[in-house]
Amino acid sequence: MSEGLVHATVLLNEAVEALQVKPDGIYVDGTFGRGGHSRLILRRLGERGSLIALDKDPAAVEAGRAVDDARFRMVHSGFEHLGEVLQELGIDKVDGVLLDLGVSSPQLDDEQRGFSFRFDAPLDMRMDTSRGETAAEWLATVDEGELAEVIRDYGEERFARQIARAIVAARQEREILTTKQLGDIVAQSVRTREPGKNPATRTFQAIRIYINRELEELESVLPQCVGHLKEGGRMAVISFHSLEDRMVKHFMRDMAQGDKLPKHVPIRAADVPQGKLRLVGKAIQASPEEVAANPRARSAVLRVAERLGG
């Protein structure tokens, strides 16, 4: 990790408070980052409590392995493998799971990671730099139609077709290898700009989400969280864009409602399928004070649910 890069943990107290940490409980921080949430959870745990942290980013894993605490275990893994990790550790149920989604400040601020158009840097965008295809490698071969779909669906970009066409045309002239190259291509193909937002913002978000399979991994981990929570255990999820938040909101709502039956089916009240989750409060957003201190918190949404019996 580059020197001087720090991570301002978003909704730190709100998220850990939502878990209602028990001194002897077992907790999972599915996205360690630089450990802000994990360290606060550890401060709330007693001697018999334990915390398992996961992260796919080697730099985050290195930071986690520097934590000197017998109650803490750092695992190099994406949270989509939550069930496998717990099985390997001999753990069936836990008291809480925290997921802080999206890209971290050190990832954005380290120009060599290629997440940001603020730098002229290699176009990488992988959260796990030890494996997988870089954004540059993908852009070199992706079909124009698929590229347009990714930018439209994951970036919610209305100029997706124009941007995809421009990228494909530009790569015929020379390889697109840097963040500046990509940012310039997008800027030249977008006719209007949203006030205060770089025209490449949505395209960079879309490619990052695709390269890291962020929505697929979120879809995979949510039912695993429910399956591994003890009765009364809680899951807390912080999302940073509408696609993630919509998925979390709908999942928690559906799990709270239980299986839906066709209308007019004769069934006793005691036999009506019950939900597996109870929604805890309303969605929580960062305070004006936190947003002023850390503008990246402005889009954060925290949703919390509690595991019911059965």
Side-chain angles (χ1 to χ4, degrees), residues 104-270:
S104 68
S105 295
Q107 289 169 331
L108 283 170
D109 294 336
D110 184 349
E111 62 183 69
Q112 295 305 311
R113 301 300 298 272
F115 285 108
S116 177
F117 42 72
R118 293 183 292 120
F119 311 108
D120 187 11
L123 189 58
D124 192 319
M125 291 197 188
R126 293 172 299 164
M127 290 185 181
D128 186 346
T129 54
S130 69
R131 67 193 73 187
E133 189 176 40
T134 68
E137 291 168 342
W138 180 66
L139 286 176
T141 61
V142 64
D143 173 80
E144 181 180 324
E146 181 184 355
L147 177 57
E149 288 181 9
V150 167
I151 296 173
R152 180 195 66 205
D153 295 344
Y154 293 165
E156 299 179 297
E157 171 60 76
R158 57 185 173 136
F159 299 119
R161 288 190 179 278
Q162 296 96 304
I163 293 170
R165 191 179 306 122
I167 290 173
V168 170
R171 78 184 184 195
Q172 293 174 351
E173 301 295 326
R174 63 169 179 163
E175 293 180 285
I176 303 171
L177 299 176
T178 71
T179 52
K180 186 177 187 304
Q181 283 178 277
L182 179 58
D184 288 346
I185 292 167
V186 176
Q188 292 165 13
S189 57
V190 173
R191 295 193 299 272
T192 61
R193 299 168 181 249
E194 297 171 81
K197 182 175 287 189
N198 187 293
T201 299
R202 293 180 180 273
T203 298
F204 269 67
Q205 171 186 295
I207 295 173
R208 187 203 83 215
I209 290 172
Y210 177 84
I211 290 294
N212 294 288
R213 301 182 64 255
E214 292 178 38
L215 296 183
E216 292 90 342
E217 292 181 357
L218 177 58
E219 183 178 27
S220 172
V221 74
L222 291 174
Q224 293 182 62
C225 291
V226 176
H228 288 283
L229 279 175
K230 297 178 183 178
E231 181 176 351
R234 289 190 170 189
M235 57 186 294
V237 185
I238 303 171
S239 57
F240 287 85
H241 60 74
S242 59
L243 297 175
E244 292 173 337
D245 183 54
R246 194 177 305 130
M247 185 180 294
V248 174
K249 177 182 178 181
H250 290 173
F251 175 83
M252 288 184 173
R253 181 197 62 194
D254 292 347
M255 288 293 99
Q257 291 176 345
D259 296 331
K260 295 181 181 179
L261 297 175
K263 291 183 178 180
H264 311 302
V265 173
I267 187 171
R268 295 178 301 176

Side-chain angles (χ1 to χ4, degrees), residues 16-22 24-27 93-97 225-236 275-280 304-310:
V16 176
E17 191 66 37
L19 291 177
Q20 292 191 330
V21 177
K22 301 174 183 177
D24 60 348
I26 303 172
Y27 293 87
K93 302 288 186 180
V94 300
D95 295 279
V97 180
C225 291
V226 176
H228 288 283
L229 279 175
K230 297 178 183 178
E231 181 176 351
R234 289 190 170 189
M235 57 186 294
K276 295 182 178 180
L277 292 178
R278 177 181 70 84
L279 304 182
V280 178
V304 185
E306 183 176 292
R307 184 69 160 94
L308 299 175

